[in-house]
Amino acid sequence: MVTKVELVRDSATGTVFINSHTFHDSIPVKSNYVRIHYAWSQWAFTSEKNGFTKIELKLSVDLGGNIPKWLMRLTAST
C-alpha cells in the first residue's frame, strides 16, 4: 500500500488530525504482491479538560485480491 499522509491542526478546537489515503499511482505494481488500491483513515487527537487526550480513528479499506469482503468486515469489527 502506498499512502499520502497529512497532519492538520484545527485552530478553533485544537484538535490534531492525521489524514491518510492511498496514493498508488506513484509506484509501479509488482506482480508478486497484492496492492491495496483503496484505504482511507483519519486519526483525531483532542485534549480533554481532565488532562487526557481523546483519540478517535475512522478507517475504510478495500484489501483487494482474493479476500472476500465479508471476511474483511468481520475482522475489522470491534
Side-chain angles (χ1 to χ4, degrees), residues 5-77:
V5 180
E6 68 176 345
L7 179 69
V8 179
R9 183 177 181 270
D10 183 323
S11 59
T13 64
T15 299
V16 175
F17 296 95
I18 300 174
N19 301 313
S20 172
H21 62 87
T22 48
F23 191 67
H24 55 81
D25 293 335
S26 63
I27 296 175
V29 175
K30 295 182 179 180
S31 62
N32 294 335
Y33 297 90
V34 174
R35 169 76 51 97
I36 296 174
H37 288 279
Y38 174 78
W40 173 89
S41 68
Q42 181 182 68
W43 291 83
F45 300 85
T46 307
S47 295
E48 299 285 309
K49 292 181 181 180
N50 59 9
F52 288 92
T53 301
K54 179 181 178 181
I55 302 172
E56 296 177 90
L57 171 62
K58 297 177 183 177
L59 177 66
S60 178
V61 179
D62 183 351
L63 297 176
N66 295 323
I67 301 171
K69 290 187 187 298
W70 66 266
L71 182 57
M72 285 189 289
R73 288 186 197 105
L74 180 66
T75 59
S77 300

